[in-house]
Amino acid sequence: MIWFLFPVSLIICNDIMAYMFGFFYGRTPLTKLSPKKTWEGFIGGGVSTLIFGFVLAGVLSRYQFFVCPLEYNDELMSLSTSCTPLPLFQKTIYMMPKPLSFLKRSLVLYPFQLHSLLLSLFASSIGPFGGFFASGFKRAFRIKDFAATIPGHGGFMDRFDCQVIMAMFTNVYISTFARVASPHKLLLQVLALSHENREEFLRLLRNHFKE
């Protein structure tokens, strides 16, 4: 659940904070495709998203509901999210770099909080370009909004233009940097094999342990 809620929350936070900073401090236009967006809003939204993402990652990592897969529990006869969290969601001690060690020698963080910084950086820098692209697309067709489903905000596509880019990046990020092997995933992959391939897998596994 955390891999869905966290990226979505980052885009929402960046959208809101960029609007707030732009409304109160905006003076310098960011791009002609979206005249209302300003550099002040872009930078203010980016810094706010980094802080928000780091804090939110620590909060969500505490609860098994967000970090465990939804599975059927035979004992409770119902769906549950109880598990031993992956190392990514377990607290780890990190030593501070030497230039900062005079402040504090070590920090106790969830590894996911470090990943959150990269996701937040993408959400606040590249993510908004989904909105710029959508603005250029609407300008080409001389329309203000994709629809009128949400008064004052347009249709659902107007709310999810940045989410599409963020979703693609998150999927690539999980596959490249965050995915780790787990018994549950391995079992699902083995069960997806054909009968012959399953037998071959078991034969190789037996030979491996004999060695």
Side-chain angles (χ1 to χ4, degrees), residues 1-3 5 56-71 73 76 79-91 110:
M1 185 66 72
I2 196 171
W3 288 111
L5 291 177
L56 181 65
V59 173
L60 295 181
S61 297
R62 298 176 187 173
Y63 302 99
Q64 290 190 348
F65 175 79
F66 296 110
V67 301
C68 293
L70 183 64
E71 296 177 327
N73 190 314
L76 299 176
L79 294 174
S80 67
T81 53
S82 178
C83 72
T84 300
L86 296 173
L88 193 63
F89 306 110
Q90 295 182 17
K91 284 189 175 181
Y110 293 99

Side-chain angles (χ1 to χ4, degrees), residues 1-19:
M1 185 66 72
I2 196 171
W3 288 111
F4 170 75
L5 291 177
F6 185 73
V8 169
S9 301
L10 291 180
I11 294 295
I12 294 173
C13 172
N14 183 256
D15 201 23
I16 293 173
M17 296 310 296
Y19 173 79

Side-chain angles (χ1 to χ4, degrees), residues 17-49:
M17 296 310 296
Y19 173 79
M20 296 294 290
F21 276 91
F23 182 82
F24 288 106
Y25 307 106
R27 297 291 183 273
T28 313
L30 181 61
T31 174
K32 292 182 180 180
L33 289 175
S34 192
K36 292 184 179 180
K37 290 183 170 61
T38 62
W39 276 105
E40 291 81 3
F42 182 77
I43 296 171
V47 174
S48 301
T49 303

Side-chain angles (χ1 to χ4, degrees), residues 106-179:
S106 62
L107 283 176
V108 180
L109 300 171
Y110 293 99
F112 182 70
Q113 287 181 279
L114 301 180
H115 290 278
S116 75
L117 296 176
L118 294 175
L119 291 168
S120 300
L121 186 63
F122 181 88
S124 58
S125 58
I126 308 300
F129 282 91
F132 302 153
F133 173 78
S135 296
F137 188 82
K138 286 184 284 187
R139 276 173 169 267
F141 285 90
R142 298 180 181 180
I143 58 175
K144 183 178 182 295
D145 300 312
F146 284 116
T149 310
I150 310 172
H153 292 273
F156 287 105
M157 281 303 298
D158 293 88
R159 295 294 86 203
F160 286 92
D161 45 15
C162 298
Q163 297 284 6
V164 174
I165 293 180
M166 190 66 200
M168 290 190 293
F169 176 77
T170 302
N171 183 51
V172 173
Y173 189 88
I174 293 172
S175 302
T176 308
F177 301 107
R179 178 166 289 173

